[in-house]
Amino acid sequence: MDRPQGRLNGRVAVVTGGTKGIGQGIVLRFIKEGASVVYCSRTAENDAENRVLLAAIQGAAARAHFIAADVGDRQQMRELVETAAHRFGRLDIVVNNAQGIAPLRGIEEKPDSDYAMTLATGFYHSLWTTQAAVPHMRRAGGGRIINFSSHWNIWGQPYSSDYNIVKAANEALTRSAAREFGADNITVNCIIPAGASYAYGVWKRMNPSPAAETERTVPMRRMGDCERDIAGAVLGLVSQNGRFITGQVFCVDGGTWAAAPVQQHEAGTDIHEGRQQRATAVA
Amino acid sequence: MGQIAGQVAIVTGAASEVAQGIARRFAREGAIVVLIDKDASEATRVANAIALSGGRAEAMCVDLARDGAAAEIAQAVAHAHGGIDILVNAAHAALAWMPLADKKEADFAAAFHDVVMPTVAAMRAARPHMLRRGGGRIVNVGSIYGATANEGITDAITMDGALASLTRSAGIEWARDNILVNYLQPAVPDIAVFKSYIAERGAIVDHLIRNTPMRRLADPLEDIGGAAMFLVSDEACFIVGHKVFADGGQHLVAAAFEPGAAR
C-alpha cells in the first residue's frame, strides 16, 4: 500500500458497517486519503476499536463521525445519509458494505424471516442509501456508489440461499443505477471481495485447516487485507481514476473468481457468530 | 510525486490515441514511459510531447510481431532504466468491416499473428524483469466491441476473446509472483479519427452517445488513462485476470452500436 496521496481530499463519504473487517478498512483508507466519513454500526460499543485507530491518524477526529444505526431500517438509513450531507456540506461517495447474516440452512428449512432480514440489511439498505444520496450527488456534480456482492451468489453456495439472492439483487441494482444515474455523472459499481472480513476471521479461528486450504486456492495465495487490498480497489473506483468506470462487478479476490471455489460450509453452522462450527475440509 | 513515481512502463501499439492517453497518464503520475510501435513517427511525437511537459518518455521503433523482438526490447528497457514494472499491450489490427462469409481465413491468421502473439511474447519477455522487482502489472487492452459482438468484425471479436482468455489464464498463473495481469476494454474514444467519422455519420455518433449511460465519448487521458492507472496502481493490488470497461457503462447497453434497435 502506497503512502496516502490525498486522493479523496475534500470528498464526503458514507460507509455502512464501518467498524469491522472490510468496512473498517474502507473507513480507515478513506480517512487517510483525506475524505470526511460518516459510518455506522449497530451499537456505539462496536466503535471502540475505530476510536483508538482513528485517534492515531492526524486530523481524523474532525473528519470521522460514527452513528449507531440499524441498516435494516429505512428511516435510519435516510438519516445516516442526511447527516453526512449536512455535517460536511456535501456528499460524494456511498459505500454499502453492511450485511446481516442468518445461520446457514437448507432451502427447505430456511424461514421466511431469514430472507426478510437478509434482504432488509443487504439489498434494501443499499437501495435506501442510494435513494437518499443521489439528490446530494447531483448537487455536487456527480458521485460514486459502491455496492457489495459475493462469490457465493456466483457459485450458488449451499445453505445461504437468502444471502446469495440478496447479493444478486445488489448486482442488479448496481447495473440499473449505473444506467439511471450515469447522465448525472454518478458511477455505480459492485465489489465481490475475498477479504479477511470479520466473518472470515471467526471462521478461520474455528477452522484453521480448511482456512489454510482455502487460502491455497487463491491465485495470490492469501486472503485480501481489508484496508490495503479491498479498500484499495474501492478507493480506485471512487477516486478520479474510476470516473468512466460504471455498472461493473469487480472481483477483488486475488484471482479467486477465475480459479476455484473457497470456504466450503455445512448446513447448521453460523459463520456470523461462530456457533456450531462443523465445516468440512475443501474437497 | 505521483501514483507510479519512478516506475518503468512499456506501452505497445503507441501510435494509437488510446495508447497515447495511457502513456501520457502514466508519465503524469511519475513513470518512465517507453512507447513502442512499428510506426516510429507517432510514438516519437508523443514521447517528445511528454518530455516537453516535464515527463520522462522515449520511443522505440520495433515490430513486435518479429520473432525475438519482444525479448530484445525488454532487455534494452531493463538495461537502460534498471527494470520493468508495467507493461501495457495496446497494439491493434485495423478493423475491416465485412461479413464473416466474405472474410478470408488469412485475415484471422494475420490478426492472431499481429495482435495475440506479440502480446504473448511481450508478457513472457517482461516477466523475468518483473520477477526481479518483486512483481509487476500487465494491462492487455481489448475493445468495447468484445463486450458482446458486432456484425462485420468477427476476426477482431475473436482476437478480443483470445486476449481476454489469455489474460485470465496468465492472471492466475502469475498472481502468486505478484505479477497481476488484467484486461482493459475502452469505449470508442473522443479522438481525431473518430471526429472525422462523426462529421460523415453524425446520427450514428449521436445514437452512440445517447446510449452511453454517462452520455459522452471516452477521453483517452482522463477516462481510459484513469482506468489504466487504477489497474497499475496500489489500488488494484488484489485484482487478477479481470475485465475492466472504461466505457461510461456502454457495455450494458445492447443497442449502443445498432441504430436500428434504438428506442
Side-chain angles (χ1 to χ4, degrees):
Chain A
M1 194 168 97
D2 292 353
R3 280 178 302 146
Q5 297 162 3
R7 278 173 268 198
L8 301 180
N9 278 350
R11 302 287 170 184
V12 177
V14 165
V15 179
T16 63
T19 60
K20 286 188 295 200
I22 289 170
Q24 182 181 50
I26 293 168
V27 169
L28 294 172
R29 191 78 184 265
F30 278 15
I31 289 285
K32 288 175 186 174
E33 288 290 343
S36 299
V37 183
V38 173
Y39 63 99
C40 70
S41 182
R42 277 172 294 186
T43 67
E45 294 81 68
N46 287 352
D47 193 41
E49 191 177 45
N50 268 13
R51 280 200 297 273
V52 174
L53 293 170
L54 289 165
I57 303 170
Q58 197 174 11
R63 290 188 284 110
H65 182 67
F66 171 80
I67 292 178
D70 173 1
V71 296
D73 184 286
R74 186 175 198 272
Q75 187 56 30
Q76 292 184 45
M77 286 302 95
R78 290 200 78 85
E79 284 169 12
L80 179 73
V81 169
E82 296 303 331
T83 299
H86 288 119
R87 188 179 181 94
F88 295 110
R90 59 185 289 152
L91 181 62
D92 306 281
I93 300 161
V94 169
V95 179
N96 294 310
N97 160 75
Q99 174 69 64
I101 299 177
L104 298 171
R105 285 197 187 99
I107 290 169
E108 292 164 292
E109 289 80 40
K110 194 171 266 299
D112 286 1
S113 57
D114 278 10
Y115 290 94
M117 183 278 287
T118 316
L119 271 166
T121 58
F123 165 68
Y124 277 105
H125 111 258
S126 305
L127 175 68
W128 294 328
T129 59
T130 297
Q131 289 170 331
V134 162
H136 295 292
M137 292 177 172
R138 283 200 186 105
R139 271 196 290 281
R144 303 276 199 271
I145 299 170
I146 301 289
N147 296 318
F148 273 77
S149 180
S150 167
H151 290 117
W152 288 15
N153 162 47
I154 301 172
W155 299 334
Q157 189 81 9
Y159 320 124
S160 67
S161 54
D162 55 336
Y163 178 88
N164 304 352
I165 287 161
V166 167
K167 295 308 176 186
N170 285 353
E171 292 189 20
L173 174 65
T174 297
R175 286 186 286 270
S176 295
R179 289 194 60 175
E180 287 194 25
F181 305 132
D184 298 309
N185 198 31
I186 296 168
T187 73
V188 189
N189 291 289
C190 188
I191 300 280
I192 292 179
S197 66
Y198 173 77
Y200 178 79
V202 170
W203 182 74
K204 183 176 179 174
R205 275 194 298 282
M206 305 289 289
N207 303 272
S209 175
E213 185 57 37
T214 292
E215 288 173 26
R216 272 195 294 278
T217 67
V218 180
M220 287 190 80
R221 300 288 186 266
R222 59 184 170 85
M223 270 294 160
D225 177 83
C226 295
E227 185 179 342
R228 180 190 57 196
D229 298 327
I230 312 301
V234 174
L235 171 63
L237 292 171
V238 305
S239 72
Q240 273 302 306
N241 286 340
R243 60 182 243 160
F244 210 50
I245 299 174
T246 193
Q248 294 172 63
V249 180
F250 290 95
C251 295
V252 184
D253 65 353
T256 300
W257 72 277
V262 295
Q263 263 190 284
Q264 302 294 323
H265 294 273
E266 273 194 347
T269 62
D270 181 342
I271 59 158
H272 190 54
E273 301 302 337
R275 292 191 301 268
Q276 296 177 274
Q277 294 294 325
R278 294 192 288 108
T280 53
V282 174
Chain B
M1 186 60 197
Q3 280 201 273
I4 48 173
Q7 294 193 32
V8 178
I10 295 174
V11 179
T12 76
S16 85
E17 291 188 62
V18 164
Q20 290 167 14
I22 294 170
R24 285 160 56 213
R25 182 58 169 257
F26 285 3
R28 195 170 88 187
E29 294 292 341
I32 302 158
V33 184
V34 181
L35 295 101
I36 293 170
D37 205 286
K38 59 188 173 199
D39 167 9
S41 61
E42 264 300 290
T44 304
R45 186 185 65 75
V46 175
N48 289 342
I50 289 172
L52 272 175
S53 60
R56 298 175 68 183
E58 66 183 43
M60 291 174 74
C61 176
V62 183
D63 180 3
L64 277 171
R66 176 173 61 76
D67 255 5
E72 290 166 24
I73 285 174
Q75 194 61 45
V77 171
H79 186 257
H81 302 294
I84 300 170
D85 301 289
I86 295 164
L87 168 66
V88 176
N89 289 302
H92 277 130
L95 294 179
W97 296 78
M98 194 188 293
L100 174 58
D102 298 338
K103 278 194 190 286
K104 297 183 183 68
E105 285 173 24
D107 293 346
F108 286 80
F112 202 83
H113 177 264
D114 293 343
V115 177
V116 180
M117 285 319 295
T119 302
V120 172
M123 287 170 61
R124 284 155 50 106
R127 177 178 154 83
H129 301 286
M130 290 179 171
L131 283 174
R132 275 195 282 282
R133 303 277 250 205
R137 299 293 173 88
I138 298 173
V139 178
N140 294 328
V141 180
S143 156
I144 187 73
Y145 294 123
T148 47
N150 290 85
E151 293 185 20
I153 48 170
T154 40
D155 45 354
I157 303 277
T158 302
M159 293 316 126
D160 200 90
L163 287 173
S165 301
L166 169 67
T167 301
R168 191 171 67 245
S169 42
I172 65 164
E173 277 195 32
W174 292 0
R176 74 199 65 172
D177 301 315
N178 199 31
I179 297 173
L180 308 188
V181 193
N182 287 292
Y183 196 55
L184 179 64
Q185 292 176 279
V188 173
D190 189 10
I191 59 174
V193 173
F194 198 65
K195 281 193 179 112
S196 66
Y197 185 83
I198 292 171
E200 288 168 28
R201 309 168 80 173
I204 290 177
V205 176
D206 286 348
H207 174 87
L208 177 57
I209 292 172
R210 209 167 47 245
N211 281 285
T212 299
M214 295 190 81
R215 301 288 190 275
R216 57 187 173 86
L217 300 174
D219 180 279
L221 176 66
E222 301 296 342
D223 295 331
I224 298 171
M229 260 313 303
F230 168 59
L231 285 174
V232 304
S233 74
D234 64 335
E235 294 158 3
C237 64
F238 206 54
I239 296 179
V240 172
H242 217 293
K243 289 182 176 182
V244 177
F245 292 99
D247 70 341
Q250 207 177 80
H251 69 282
L252 295 172
V253 187
F257 288 95
E258 294 174 33
R263 277 181 300 191

